[in-house]
Each structure stands twice: as C-alpha cells, then as structure tokens.
Amino acid sequence: QQVIQYIYFQQQNRMLQKFLTYCNQNDIAFILDEIQENLKELMMDAYANFIFKNLMQNCSYEQRFKVLMKILPDIVEIACDKSCLLYTSPSPRDRQKSRMPSSA
C-alpha cells in the first residue's frame, strides 16, 4: 500500500498527479491494484479525488469499467459528498450564462 501513503498529502499528491500524466498502462494498472480497496474513500477525500480523476483520464476503457463496477454500490453516497469531483470541478458549461430567455 505504498501508493496510498502519497495520495492523502498535498505535496506528494501533486507529484503523483504529474507522474500519472507520463506513466504507461502498466503503471496505471499497478496503482489501480493498490488502491482498489480504497476507491470510495479516495473519491471523497479533498486531495485524493484529484488522483482518482487523473487515473480515470489516463486508464483504459476496461480499467475504467472495472472501477465503475467496484464503486457502483456506493455511487449515491460518493456523488452526494461535498469533496467529490462533482463539486470540486464544475463543467465549463456550468459557468456560462444560460441562453434560455428568462420568464420574467
């Protein structure tokens, strides 16, 4: 569980995020294997959810599907958590003004 030690602290987390942008699929598979039992907690942690986001952006479709199946039983709790990326990384669309005419 060496990877877990780095995920929860800001400085080490940033180093790991940089590593994820350059690593290969074997590295990603290794990291996913290390963290698979902690996915729910990672997604709900203020720093660790960024690692999860980077992993999902760089992993294969098959790896993404395995992760989804793993977190599926907890998806509602994860989605409602304020630390979850649903809250920390709004879509650029969410920042745009609505193009719908007002009903006033």
Side-chain angles (χ1 to χ4, degrees):
Q1 295 275 352
Q2 295 174 342
V3 174
I4 294 292
Q5 296 173 12
Y6 293 102
I7 291 177
Y8 292 105
F9 300 99
Q10 186 177 16
Q11 187 67 25
Q12 292 90 339
N13 184 296
R14 286 184 180 167
M15 289 171 35
L16 190 53
Q17 286 182 56
K18 287 180 185 178
F19 171 75
L20 288 173
T21 59
Y22 301 106
C23 68
N24 61 40
Q25 290 300 311
N26 291 334
D27 295 330
I28 291 174
F30 174 79
I31 293 169
L32 286 172
D33 286 343
E34 286 247 341
I35 67 170
Q36 69 179 336
E37 297 304 317
N38 303 86
L39 289 173
K40 176 182 165 186
E41 292 80 17
L42 293 175
M43 292 181 72
M44 295 168 64
D45 182 81
Y47 295 122
N49 66 31
F50 290 103
I51 293 294
F52 182 81
K53 175 186 167 194
N54 283 342
L55 277 170
M56 293 302 98
Q57 289 175 338
N58 294 300
C59 70
S60 69
Y61 174 80
E62 292 80 16
Q63 290 167 324
R64 217 173 288 131
F65 184 77
K66 281 177 65 176
V67 168
L68 179 61
M69 291 296 104
K70 181 80 173 170
I71 65 170
L72 198 55
D74 300 310
I75 198 73
V76 172
E77 183 181 355
I78 293 167
C80 291
D81 185 82
K82 298 262 187 247
S83 300
C84 180
L85 285 173
L86 294 173
Y87 292 100
T88 59
S89 298
S91 166
R93 270 188 320 211
D94 296 337
R95 295 182 187 140
Q96 295 175 352
K97 290 186 178 181
S98 173
R99 289 190 246 168
M100 297 293 290
S102 69
S103 57

